[in-house]
């Protein structure tokens, strides 16, 4: 194929597929995963699932010296959280000159952002008229007990943090809740999460698709998100450089696994012939 460049995947998906992936709040995870696999292996990697038939695995590795391998790309993300984040991306700033303050509003996973933004400015005006200014950041657990019923309703609607400050030009800035928890790496959290995730009934189709290839190498590439369990997500923070010591407990249909807290953090992979490693330290191509 004349346009092929080692290290860069060949994308056979139809334009509508690519557009849908790009619009998601994590972007095109399949293409990003394919790029990692292509750079590490140095082999021809094809994003092959073009919806032309049911049960196609996402990626194919066309080895030069042996039969192909297959890679299914999955993303660990709570769909309710995903909808909230996508809504925040569309409404990050709301003009509100008449407020005379900048309001900082953080949405939780249960928030219906598109519905909230239609009334948010007028509701904040009511807060200000009642001298509910939130000069310091308050968490949902605190303002859900507020004496003002409109403040309590905002907590019930999924807002998890509120704060404001005086400003020449009023504005509402909207943020999405992120991941958080204790600082400290614990590989046991990652191992338990990965085992549960790959063996879960919701991944039955992933396991079945890989098994149906009858290939010797059947990879799963797992993209983490801010809704992934914190202990597992934090274990792959870029502040660390060590590797897990124990092999993952993979389903029988899966022979190789890659994990990446896309788009930040360390990508790790486990191959049966080499154990855990960091692909980014072993690129075969640019």
């Amino acid at each position: 194929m004349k346009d092929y460049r080692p290290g860069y995947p060949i994308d056979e998906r139809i334009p509508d597929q690519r557009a849908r992936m790009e619009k998601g709040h994590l972007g095109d995870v399949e293409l990003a995963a394919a790029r990692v696999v292509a750079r590490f292996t140095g082999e021809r990697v094809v994003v092959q699932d073009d919806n032309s038939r049911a049960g196609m695995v996402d990626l194919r590795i066309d080895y030069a010296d042996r039969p192909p391998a297959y890679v299914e790309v999955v993303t660990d993300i709570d769909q309710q959280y995903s909808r909230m984040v996508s809504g925040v991306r569309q409404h990050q700033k709301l003009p509100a000159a008449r407020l005379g303050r900048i309001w900082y509003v953080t949405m939780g996973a249960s928030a219906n952002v598109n519905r909230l933004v239609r009334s948010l400015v007028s509701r904040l005006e009511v807060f200000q008229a009642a001298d509910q200014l939130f000069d310091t950041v308050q968490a949902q657990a605190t303002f859900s007990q507020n004496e003002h019923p409109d403040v309590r309703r905002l907590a019930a609607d999924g807002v998890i943090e509120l704060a404001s400050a005086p400003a020449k030009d009023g504005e509402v800035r909207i943020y999405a809740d992120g991941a958080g928890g204790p600082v400290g790496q614990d590989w046991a959290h990652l191992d338990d999460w990965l085992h549960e995730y790959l063996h879960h009934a919701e991944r039955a189709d992933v396991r079945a698709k890989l098994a149906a290839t009858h290939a010797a190498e059947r990879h799963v590439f797992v993209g983490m998100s801010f809704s992934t369990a914190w202990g597992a997500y934090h274990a792959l923070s870029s502040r660390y450089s060590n590797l897990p010591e124990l092999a993952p407990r993979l389903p029988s249909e899966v022979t190789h696994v890659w994990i990446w807290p896309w788009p930040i953090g360390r990508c790790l992979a486990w191959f049966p012939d080499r154990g855990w490693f960091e692909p980014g330290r072993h690129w075969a191509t640019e």
Side-chain angles (χ1 to χ4, degrees):
M1 194 166 186
K2 65 179 181 179
D3 294 331
Y4 170 61
R5 288 177 60 193
Y8 290 85
I10 298 166
D11 193 347
E12 294 183 344
R13 298 172 301 175
I14 60 176
D16 285 350
Q17 282 180 284
R18 293 194 293 269
R20 285 195 301 271
M21 292 294 290
E22 290 167 359
K23 287 179 181 177
H25 86 264
L26 288 179
D28 195 339
V29 180
E30 285 182 10
L31 189 61
R35 169 76 164 129
V36 170
V37 175
R39 285 192 74 185
F40 170 73
T41 63
E43 305 284 354
R44 185 176 181 269
V45 174
V46 181
V47 187
Q48 65 165 14
D49 187 5
D50 60 358
N51 286 341
S52 60
R53 60 181 175 83
M56 288 188 74
V57 180
D58 294 320
L59 315 180
R60 187 180 73 249
I61 308 172
D62 288 333
Y63 288 116
D65 59 352
R66 59 186 188 274
Y70 294 88
V71 185
E72 184 69 2
V73 181
V74 291
T75 307
D76 177 36
I77 186 164
D78 179 87
Q79 292 305 313
Q80 187 178 43
Y81 176 83
S82 180
R83 286 191 292 271
M84 180 273 293
V85 173
S86 295
V88 168
R89 287 181 63 183
Q90 298 175 43
H91 305 286
Q92 292 179 319
K93 292 184 181 181
L94 302 178
R98 61 183 183 269
L99 290 177
R101 299 181 73 84
I102 294 178
W103 280 84
Y104 305 90
V105 181
T106 303
M107 305 287 188
S110 65
N112 185 323
V113 180
N114 293 323
R115 185 172 60 197
L116 266 171
V117 297
R118 292 196 288 269
S119 63
L120 192 54
V121 174
S122 59
R123 292 170 79 171
L124 295 175
E125 282 187 296
V126 172
F127 294 0
Q128 291 191 189
D131 202 32
Q132 299 283 340
L133 299 181
F134 293 86
D135 292 303
T136 58
V137 178
Q138 286 194 26
Q140 186 185 59
T142 301
F143 66 81
S144 63
Q145 307 298 317
N146 192 282
E147 61 184 18
H148 199 289
D150 288 323
V151 175
R152 296 197 299 273
R153 276 194 288 272
L154 203 60
D157 286 342
V159 173
I160 62 168
E161 282 186 348
L162 275 176
S164 79
K168 181 179 179 181
D169 298 314
E171 185 176 76
V172 180
R173 299 182 184 177
I174 301 177
Y175 303 90
D177 183 27
V183 175
Q185 188 183 50
D186 187 341
W187 290 124
H189 281 284
L190 180 70
D191 182 63
D192 288 342
W193 165 81
L194 184 62
H195 176 268
E196 181 179 354
Y197 183 79
L198 293 179
H199 287 81
H200 197 281
E202 291 182 0
R203 253 61 65 194
D205 63 328
V206 172
R207 298 190 297 270
K209 286 165 69 174
L210 287 170
T213 67
H214 302 293
E217 288 188 17
R218 304 179 300 276
H219 302 234
V220 172
F221 196 115
V222 185
M224 293 173 155
S225 75
F226 282 138
S227 62
T228 295
W230 169 253
Y233 186 88
H234 182 70
L236 271 65
S237 168
S238 57
R239 72 176 63 191
Y240 304 118
S241 60
N242 58 331
L243 297 169
E245 295 181 359
L246 298 179
R249 295 168 286 164
L250 302 179
S252 60
E253 302 88 346
V254 178
T255 61
H256 299 62
V257 68
W258 312 62
I259 317 171
W260 190 12
W262 162 260
I264 58 176
R266 300 167 67 205
C267 176
L268 297 188
W270 183 88
F271 286 15
D273 60 343
R274 66 183 298 170
W276 285 104
F277 62 95
E278 190 170 352
R281 297 180 182 272
H282 305 278
W283 293 137
T285 66
E286 65 176 34

